[in-house]
Amino acid sequence: MMDLRLLLIAALSAALSGSLAQQDGSICIKANAQSCGECIQVSEICGWCTDEKFLSEGESKSARCDDVTYLKKKDCKNIEDPRGSTEITQNKDVTVRNKDGNVKLKPEEITQIQPQKLKVTLRSGEPQTFDLKFKRAEDYPIDLYYLMDLSFSMKDDLENVKNLGTDLMREMREITSDFRIGFGSFVEKTVMPYISTTPARLINPCSNNENCTSPFSYKNVLKLTSNGDRFNQLVSQQQISGNLDSPEGGFDAIMQVAVCEEQIGWRNVTRLLVFSTDAGFHFAGDGKLGGIVLPNDGKCHLENNVYSMSHYYDYPSIAHLVQKLSDHNIQTIFAVTEEFQPVYQELKNLIPKSAVGTLSSNSSNVIKLIIDAYNSLSSEVILENSKLPEGVSISYKAFCKNGVRGTEDNGRKCTNISIGDEVSFKISIESQKCPSGGKPEVITVKPLGFNEEVAIELNFICDCECAKKGEPNSPKCHGGNGIFECGACKCNEGRIGRECECSKDEVRSDDLDANCRKPNSTDICSNNGECLCGTCECKKRENPAEVYSGKYCECDNFNCDRSGNLLCGGHGRCECRKCICDTNYTGNACECSLDESTCLAKNGQLCNGRGKCECGICKCEDPKFQGPTCEVCPTCPGVCTEHKDCVQCRAFGDGEKKEMCQKECSYFNLIKVKDRKDLPQPTDQSFPLTHCKEKDANDCWFYYTYAITKNSTKEVFVVEKLDCPSGPDIIPIVAGVVAGIVLIGLALLLIWKLLMIIHDRREFAKFEKEKMNAKWDTQGNPIYKSPINQFHNPSYGNKAAAL
């Protein structure tokens, strides 16, 4: 039963696979494509059959567009199925460089990204993938521009920045041997209400007799230079200014620093902008308070190194700044006081490749802040791409250090990258449709904050190659009413039909309808289609895999017999309501398998020799046997028990069948062997073998094997000598019993003697202990009486006194 279930599951899986393949192909059929170019835009699985005689009667031109696999099954010889490709046109290796080396490379000679140029050909729905490698170069040049707020609240900070040039230069030498530094300052727009416009305040905006310079929007004090002393000298000459409101005009300054590349002196190297302030910022729209309504144009307006259009253009928006900073590969470091940390942290989240550091109240920690921020920025690489053409998408997958991988949003970046580390990205580009015009487009992919980029030329497959060989006004298209291309007619305007044989104005008439009726029938196109130009155009069903066909749409591929709820049993195809079975299958519903391998029993016989194999399934003839191969017999004894009596009578002339041995036990060949080791082993045979061990009435064992060979011969190998147990030896038994009794008696005596010795020793020890503890009275015996008596003469004393 289990084998039968597995067979049914396998058949069902095969049918479902075919059904799913047709369902995928339905995407192509649903599109109703009328040309090869339309077909290949539907999906990457769609192909167009260019065989002229591919279509059967009643099939529409759109039937040429189908799943490529399905077209091959329909015996299409020529299939138009163009594929996309990726070609690397510039692939310079990344630079291996050390700052201690003797060779001094120019910035433009250093390569950190590979490849540099590609040519990608895209077909709709088919992604093209390539690998991009990035490696941080050792000793890469750095340009750093220090942009400082010079409003009055930054007075003490200016004092500490005056020596920044040489100190920072010394620290940065540990990172790169090619370092340049510049300086700029900003305050605010020079209009009310941002500053006071009274003549006195325009000269000195500060109070309390402070000596301040006139207010200004942005001033480029020092172009990028490698001379740290020059930086210190010019910064020392700067003076504090003032304004009225708390937010500053720093966004105006950032915009000018980004777009004025020539005036600032930016090189195509790592560009760092340090923005130092202790206040917030104005942004787009705030200029209306001063009557400024024109949006910031994002262009350079430096005259004599001073921003000259602050009173004319509004502040830039954050999005505008993000775009310009990205376009010019500038990484921003916001050095702000702790009070404004939350504000600039939010701003950092909006500006890629930016960092925020906490500035002490007097900017004394600015060098450490810059070094830490640079290390943070340079340890992260984030890829971005330019604007994509309509319908084109791009996805990233990152392969970072220590086996870390990123997908989706995290697929664009890798973190914790040290100098000399190499990471890679897998980039996939896909087009969902052919852009209007179909002209090549160029997009770029680059790491944020770096000047290097990958240029990708996108070419789109919008039509088939066979369309280029089209024959205009072809005679194959009803006298030149269309272009014959890719095996089919592409009709001219106003013409229809498979061969452009009809005008749109003549699509219906009684004469034409007569050609769409079967003989002796009144049904037009068998009620399964529409008569166009005297030819049946069969209906399309909701399931595109189900189609009507035939001259009169009288055939279909879905009304054949079914088996196991599967069309043609899942082992054939339905053509004109009749199953065409696959190899090794037969029957009206292809339900009968001609493969007999499923009927083979373990002994190599079909149905265990107890049945017939019909349609790949055993029909057991012996009612006692069942199962997929007639090997299961619940009521049968075991093989050894079943043949025991016959083996015993033929090998030893004994047993229950001794009298009927010749009659009932001649169904096997008996072969005697001398010893058990001579019996055949399972590894020696190419057919199943059973080893048996049975006992006769005298408790003697006999050993044999039973097997059915490939030619259905039954063989029994038996050991010719019985294995009988020998009788008992009385003398040793009696001697053993007597010896046992004597030994047990002696053992008991020894044990008793040992116990008595132990008891006596314990009693003697107890006596000794009591003797040592005894205390005797030394004054005398209380019951002793002396034998001497003393008497006193009373008169003896009186005489002595009288004398």
Side-chain angles (χ1 to χ4, degrees), residues 1 608 610 620 622-639 641-642:
M1 291 297 289
N608 196 30
R610 303 180 186 276
C620 301
D622 190 332
K624 294 190 299 180
F625 289 86
Q626 54 185 277
T629 53
C630 303
E631 290 181 280
V632 180
C633 182
T635 60
C636 295
V639 173
T641 306
E642 181 182 0

Side-chain angles (χ1 to χ4, degrees), residues 32 41 98 106 227 497 504 556 559 594 692 711 756:
N32 197 28
Q41 298 304 316
N98 193 301
K106 297 179 181 179
N227 189 341
K504 288 185 178 179
D556 63 61
N559 275 321
L594 301 179
C692 299
N711 57 5
M756 291 303 297

Side-chain angles (χ1 to χ4, degrees), residues 42-240:
V42 176
S43 172
E44 79 278 6
I45 66 172
C46 298
W48 178 270
C49 184
T50 61
D51 294 351
E52 289 188 37
K53 297 181 180 180
F54 173 72
L55 298 179
S56 57
E57 287 186 294
E59 281 192 293
S60 64
K61 191 192 307 182
S62 62
R64 290 181 177 275
C65 182
D66 205 341
D67 178 85
V68 173
T69 305
Y70 200 55
L71 288 175
K72 291 178 180 178
K73 288 183 179 179
K74 293 170 71 176
D75 296 326
C76 178
K77 301 296 187 295
N78 300 293
I79 301 174
E80 194 73 18
D81 181 32
R83 296 283 104 187
S85 62
T86 299
E87 178 187 359
I88 298 175
T89 56
Q90 185 176 342
N91 193 30
K92 185 179 178 182
D93 290 338
V94 291
T95 303
V96 178
R97 181 190 181 209
N98 193 301
K99 67 179 182 179
D100 297 327
N102 297 324
V103 180
K104 187 72 173 180
L105 298 178
K106 297 179 181 179
E108 57 270 19
E109 296 175 335
I110 300 174
T111 302
Q112 298 184 105
I113 193 168
Q114 182 185 359
Q116 294 79 41
K117 289 184 179 180
L118 298 98
K119 184 177 182 180
V120 177
T121 303
L122 294 175
R123 176 182 167 179
S124 296
E126 181 189 23
Q128 293 297 318
T129 303
F130 66 92
D131 294 324
L132 183 147
K133 182 164 60 175
F134 176 85
K135 181 178 181 180
R136 276 190 63 192
E138 296 88 344
D139 194 29
Y140 196 71
I142 298 173
D143 283 353
L144 185 145
Y145 192 85
Y146 195 90
L147 182 59
M148 184 175 182
D149 176 8
L150 285 188
S151 59
F152 187 76
S153 58
M154 295 287 287
K155 180 180 179 181
D156 54 346
D157 300 80
L158 180 60
E159 294 299 322
N160 284 312
V161 175
K162 288 180 179 180
N163 295 321
L164 177 64
T166 52
D167 295 343
L168 184 59
M169 191 75 69
R170 183 174 56 254
E171 293 292 333
M172 292 301 289
R173 292 294 183 193
E174 298 295 323
I175 299 174
T176 176
S177 61
D178 189 356
F179 176 71
R180 299 197 310 167
I181 189 170
F183 183 82
S185 58
F186 67 91
V187 181
E188 186 55 276
K189 288 185 180 296
T190 55
V191 297
M192 283 287 289
Y194 311 111
I195 66 167
S196 174
T197 56
T198 61
R201 290 299 185 190
L202 285 176
I203 297 174
N204 185 357
C206 300
S207 57
N208 301 327
N209 297 322
E210 291 285 348
N211 185 21
C212 297
T213 190
S214 300
F216 58 92
S217 176
Y218 162 67
K219 186 185 299 181
N220 178 28
V221 178
L222 176 63
K223 188 176 181 178
L224 288 164
T225 178
S226 57
N227 189 341
D229 293 330
R230 177 66 175 163
F231 180 95
N232 294 346
Q233 178 185 354
L234 289 179
V235 174
S236 299
Q237 298 172 6
Q238 301 306 303
Q239 288 182 292
I240 293 297

